[in-house]
Amino acid sequence: MECCENKTQWYKKLVAVLLGTGDCHGGVKQNTYGLKKIALVGSPNVGKSVLFNSLTGAYVTVSNYPGTTVDVSRGKGKIGQQEYEIIDTPGMYSLMCITEEEKVTRELLFKEKPEAIIHVIDAKNIQRMLPLTIQLVEAEMPVILVLNIMDEAERMGLRIDIKRLELELQIPVISTIAALNKGINTLKERVDKYVKVA
Amino acid sequence: MSKSLNISYDDIIEDSIGKIISYLKGNYVLSKRAVALLLLQEDEDVLEKVQDTEKSNFIKIRLIIQKTKENYDKPLNYIISLSRQELVQELTEKVVNKEEEKNRNISDVLSRLTMNPITGIPILILVLYFGLYQFVGVFGAGTIVDFLEANVFENFINPWINGLVNSYIPWQWLKDLLANEYGIITLGIRYAIAIILPIVGSFFLIFSIIEDSGYLPRLAMLVDRIFKKIGLSGRAVIPMTLGFGCDTMATMVSRTLETKRERVISTLLLALAIPCSAQLGVILALLSGSPKAMMIWVAFVAFVFLFIGYLTSKILPGDQPSFYMEVPPLRLPKLSNILSKTYTRMQWYLAEVMPLFVLASVLIWFGNLTGLFDIIIDAMGPVMNWIGLPNEAAESFIFGFFRRDFGAAGLYDLQASGALSPRQLVVAAATLTLFVPCVAQFTMMMKERGKKTGIAMAAFIFPFAFAAGYVLNLILVTFGVLS
């Protein structure tokens, strides 16, 4: 984990190390200069960081409560034949932001123009989370929808017609169980195809 | 890709969107339609950006927004969200098929129990008792620390290093830098490895299990009502409990809170009344010999937490926070995630703490060499005596200034030498808990809340900690408790 690679002067770095004031708190900042970007966005506690970990092979902290990720993490991940910069973002409920960490995510989407934006949602709360998908589609951003935690949704008796949803939304829709590593390969294939077409 | 998904709003809004778009000449990353919608919802950042880009046309856009608003008795944000929600409703009706929910399982029952005050509070006490007190305090800070301290360092590493240094190095100053009482290895590294690491490790292990189970959001629901009284919402439970791990990390997490007021209150409370894991572990271990001393410490710190929280919420302007939090299902934590999380955190912690401990040893060594250390300790003597502590306690406070955990570890040494009575121990532990945030936390406070706020908080905490220590000592002496 190489932290803080920006060009701060050496003595500042030294002071930061000695005083423990460097700001590398459980985040990952790999050197991804010049790579095309793929961002993971969505409400808090839907599994963005789990997906980030399985796409990059790095480890960012993952927990079962909203708001674990408060800062952006960047890692390298290979999808198809190409390496990408995968970006994990703090949770965001809507494009209309309330909290500071939501603003961080929105700014990132506006400034960095990722090749693909993977909107991760908790499948069992699909109704509450789709409005953000709608907003991203409205904004004409390159959205891919991931219905994560599919196992819990199924246990609750939810059956979601993925094909139909894809047709209605006109964007790729993939279902995953990221914590059990299910659906990751399909996701990668779809992202690969999507980015190539675009 | 064709955008055939038809997202439309009512005629008035659609009309306004059209008008606004005609004025948007700049280049925005998101579609003009989306920009127009955000403008109608009066998103501050977008308003600002459009004002900068469109210059004179912005006044016209403002006018359109005003006119549109007049058509509704509810905020446009609400109207627009509602139409979106209706669209989603239609959509999900087509694609989601809900079968009757299967019989309620054990996790639902447990979930309810944790959030109901009558059963929730006993569950909280159980979690605190077994997780924090038994595992971190008694096992981590007691058994493991004793083993590493007494068996590994005292019997093995320290004598070996001291012997090596004393027989091969001719210069006293270098001997003292590396070994003996305040050496880099015998003090700095010993504190980090033998005292701090086991405590932090056991805390992070328990905490990871609690985190992954989904207990924290339920705790948030449980204490929401109490937190409202101190100007916070249940949401603040997350940074507050994280503070028991590391206050620096927690200060950063407080940015998830909705209002500035909440963020300021929680930053202050974190700096003042939440001991970090290493500090907590050492204090639990020190006080575990006397349940009464422990109760006094807990009650005192909890009182300060609530009292100062209450006062700040009265002083700081602003509305009561609203509370909305997603409660995820209770899940069985995955061992692999617990282990990698604990490991990453310990690694991070050690990497952060080690250079600082070495630096502190060097500074103390320098202070000793020049006699500066003694001057400071003597100067702090009266303050120590004022709160009923011996002069030697000043050492822990100076250590604590570098890092909370370092100060607590200093206290551990002092207690081991038998220099403190139970009453003094409680007063020292309480004052040290309240006393300055460590350098790292202080830096984070300034970064997250601004320099002025950060410094103001430190300026308040510093004298307050000693005043509180004085009052506590006075109460204990007057009523003859723990004498």
Side-chain angles (χ1 to χ4, degrees):
Chain A
M1 236 184 278
E2 293 126 67
C3 282
C4 317
E5 284 162 325
N6 34 13
K7 293 167 197 121
T8 30
Q9 269 129 339
W10 65 270
Y11 56 88
K12 279 192 186 161
K13 265 193 211 167
L14 183 72
V15 169
V17 167
L18 286 174
L19 295 180
T21 53
D23 50 359
C24 309
H25 294 271
V28 169
K29 298 256 165 4
Q30 291 174 346
N31 186 8
T32 48
Y33 185 78
L35 294 178
K36 286 183 173 173
K37 296 169 184 185
I38 293 174
L40 294 155
V41 300
S43 300
N45 212 38
V46 294
K48 295 179 290 299
S49 297
V50 184
L51 272 172
F52 176 84
N53 288 345
S54 54
L55 289 175
T56 60
Y59 183 82
V60 293
T61 309
V62 171
S63 304
N64 183 16
Y65 62 80
T68 306
T69 307
V70 292
D71 220 345
V72 175
S73 281
R74 292 164 197 278
K76 261 187 266 186
K78 201 169 179 190
I79 292 174
Q81 292 306 309
Q82 182 137 24
E83 273 218 314
Y84 291 93
E85 170 181 328
I86 314 281
I87 309 173
D88 185 25
T89 64
M92 174 170 77
Y93 287 104
S94 155
L95 275 187
M96 274 288 293
C97 306
I98 303 170
T99 62
E100 284 176 15
E101 93 272 16
E102 281 184 301
K103 284 190 180 154
V104 171
T105 306
R106 192 173 76 168
E107 275 302 292
L108 185 142
L109 292 186
F110 291 179
K111 289 214 172 103
E112 307 202 15
K113 305 175 193 164
E115 290 302 293
I117 295 171
I118 302 181
H119 181 206
V120 188
I121 71 171
D122 178 348
K124 64 183 175 296
N125 295 325
I126 180 167
Q127 203 166 338
R128 203 141 32 84
M129 296 186 176
L130 276 185
L132 181 59
T133 321
I134 304 280
Q135 290 176 55
L136 291 168
V137 170
E138 250 173 2
E140 290 169 24
M141 297 214 159
V143 201
I144 294 172
L145 182 63
V146 168
L147 307 180
N148 194 25
I149 329 183
M150 213 45 189
D151 48 344
E152 283 181 3
E154 275 167 13
R155 238 175 284 146
M156 280 176 64
L158 289 184
R159 295 275 170 276
I160 301 173
D161 186 343
I162 308 275
K163 285 254 165 60
R164 180 83 194 267
L165 187 59
E166 206 160 63
L167 221 65
E168 295 282 343
L169 288 172
Q170 287 296 313
I171 57 172
V173 181
I174 299 109
S175 80
T176 59
I177 310 169
L180 303 177
N181 236 345
K182 282 188 186 148
I184 306 295
N185 284 335
T186 325
L187 172 64
K188 281 186 183 170
E189 280 163 29
R190 295 295 298 270
V191 172
D192 186 38
K193 224 192 275 169
Y194 182 81
V195 174
K196 271 181 191 150
V197 170
Chain B
M1 187 163 284
S2 64
K3 290 271 178 291
S4 70
L5 175 68
N6 178 27
I7 310 162
S8 52
Y9 302 87
D10 65 30
D11 294 343
I12 303 172
I13 290 178
E14 282 299 334
D15 186 49
S16 307
I17 293 173
K19 281 189 204 148
I20 292 178
I21 289 177
S22 69
Y23 288 118
L24 292 175
K25 299 284 178 259
N27 198 2
Y28 302 91
V29 178
L30 53 174
S31 67
K32 290 194 172 148
R33 189 179 162 83
V35 174
L37 276 164
L38 284 168
L39 284 171
L40 284 173
Q41 295 170 83
E42 294 183 276
D43 182 280
E44 282 170 23
D45 297 342
V46 175
L47 280 172
E48 207 173 291
K49 200 170 167 204
V50 172
Q51 183 167 24
D52 287 351
T53 326
E54 308 297 344
K55 306 272 180 321
S56 61
N57 274 346
F58 183 70
I59 304 162
K60 291 173 192 154
I61 294 174
R62 262 274 180 221
L63 218 66
I64 300 169
I65 300 171
Q66 271 319 322
K67 282 245 170 76
T68 319
K69 272 164 76 179
E70 281 161 17
N71 287 298
Y72 302 92
D73 53 358
K74 295 216 169 67
L76 286 177
N77 184 13
Y78 177 83
I79 307 284
I80 291 172
S81 304
L82 200 68
S83 338
R84 263 192 213 120
Q85 198 58 55
E86 275 161 12
L87 176 77
V88 166
Q89 178 88 31
E90 253 170 62
L91 204 68
T92 45
E93 264 162 29
K94 285 185 216 161
V95 300
V96 181
N97 188 356
K98 192 162 167 44
E99 291 164 14
E100 264 319 292
E101 202 165 335
K102 292 164 194 170
N103 49 342
R104 203 186 288 161
N105 52 16
I106 191 158
S107 84
D108 279 336
V109 178
L110 204 62
S111 172
R112 243 163 274 252
L113 290 180
T114 53
M115 286 189 278
N116 182 329
I118 298 165
T119 43
I121 291 166
I123 291 176
L124 174 62
I125 291 171
L126 283 180
V127 170
L128 288 177
Y129 179 77
F130 285 105
L132 217 54
Y133 181 71
Q134 285 296 338
F135 191 74
V136 180
V138 177
F139 178 69
T143 316
I144 303 183
V145 170
D146 284 346
F147 170 75
L148 288 175
E149 265 281 302
N151 295 1
V152 180
F153 271 87
E154 292 293 321
N155 287 343
F156 182 66
I157 297 182
N158 281 3
W160 182 64
I161 294 283
N162 286 342
L164 215 63
V165 164
N166 285 327
S167 47
Y168 290 104
I169 295 176
W171 308 286
Q172 187 63 35
W173 64 267
L174 189 59
K175 283 185 199 172
D176 286 343
L177 179 62
L178 294 174
N180 299 331
E181 203 180 345
Y182 299 113
I184 291 176
I185 299 168
T186 45
L187 182 84
I189 296 188
R190 176 172 65 92
Y191 272 8
I193 304 271
I195 300 181
I196 304 305
L197 196 63
I199 296 172
V200 171
S202 52
F203 179 85
F204 282 155
L205 185 67
I206 280 293
F207 196 69
S208 298
I209 296 173
I210 293 176
E211 270 186 334
D212 286 14
S213 68
Y215 179 66
L216 289 180
R218 288 172 173 77
L219 183 62
M221 292 291 178
L222 187 68
V223 302
D224 183 48
R225 206 176 304 164
I226 301 169
F227 269 37
K228 284 265 163 66
K229 294 255 190 298
I230 58 172
L232 297 173
S233 70
R235 195 190 292 265
V237 160
I238 306 266
M240 290 302 163
T241 35
L242 272 175
F244 287 110
C246 170
D247 282 303
T248 313
M249 198 152 66
T251 304
M252 188 163 139
V253 171
S254 68
R255 65 166 82 143
T256 56
L257 300 175
E258 256 173 53
T259 61
K260 193 177 170 216
R261 180 169 178 258
E262 255 188 297
R263 293 193 284 264
V264 169
I265 296 177
S266 55
T267 306
L268 176 66
L269 290 178
L270 279 170
L272 183 69
I274 304 285
C276 69
S277 58
Q279 203 181 16
L280 185 69
V282 173
I283 288 170
L284 288 180
L286 287 179
L287 301 180
S288 63
S290 157
K292 208 162 146 198
M294 173 89 75
M295 296 294 278
I296 292 172
W297 177 76
V298 170
F300 183 72
V301 174
F303 171 75
V304 169
F305 178 86
L306 294 173
F307 180 65
I308 294 299
Y310 179 76
L311 280 189
T312 16
S313 76
K314 285 277 167 269
I315 294 166
L316 279 183
D319 297 328
Q320 280 288 332
S322 62
F323 180 49
Y324 166 75
M325 186 185 236
E326 214 120 326
V327 178
L330 284 175
R331 294 181 179 132
L332 205 60
K334 262 174 63 187
L335 187 65
S336 62
N337 190 47
I338 301 250
L339 292 181
S340 34
K341 185 149 65 174
T342 310
Y343 174 74
T344 332
R345 282 185 174 157
M346 279 172 79
Q347 197 188 26
W348 158 75
Y349 197 89
L350 203 62
E352 196 184 87
V353 91
M354 201 60 118
L356 193 77
F357 277 24
V358 171
L359 176 73
S361 311
V362 173
L363 285 180
I364 291 164
W365 162 83
F366 178 77
N368 252 340
L369 199 73
T370 52
L372 210 62
F373 194 47
D374 288 329
I375 295 174
I376 297 174
I377 287 186
D378 281 345
M380 278 184 73
V383 184
M384 290 296 119
N385 299 337
W386 188 60
I387 61 171
L389 297 179
N391 285 2
E392 298 95 300
E395 216 169 274
S396 308
F397 284 84
I398 295 174
F399 288 176
F401 194 73
F402 289 108
R403 263 192 93 88
R404 284 165 175 265
D405 36 21
F406 206 78
L411 205 60
Y412 183 91
D413 266 3
L414 204 62
Q415 153 79 359
S417 68
L420 296 177
S421 72
R423 176 176 53 86
Q424 288 175 324
L425 200 59
V426 171
V427 174
T431 316
L432 256 180
T433 310
L434 302 180
F435 185 60
V436 281
C438 64
V439 181
Q441 188 184 356
F442 182 57
T443 321
M444 187 59 81
M445 282 161 67
M446 295 203 290
K447 200 171 132 202
E448 293 282 315
R449 297 292 93 79
K451 277 205 175 75
K452 232 170 75 187
T453 318
I455 291 170
M457 282 180 186
F460 162 73
I461 291 170
F462 205 76
F464 178 83
F466 286 102
Y470 175 76
V471 171
L472 177 63
N473 186 49
L474 197 70
I475 295 171
L476 294 181
V477 171
T478 317
F479 293 96
V481 203
L482 286 177
S483 45

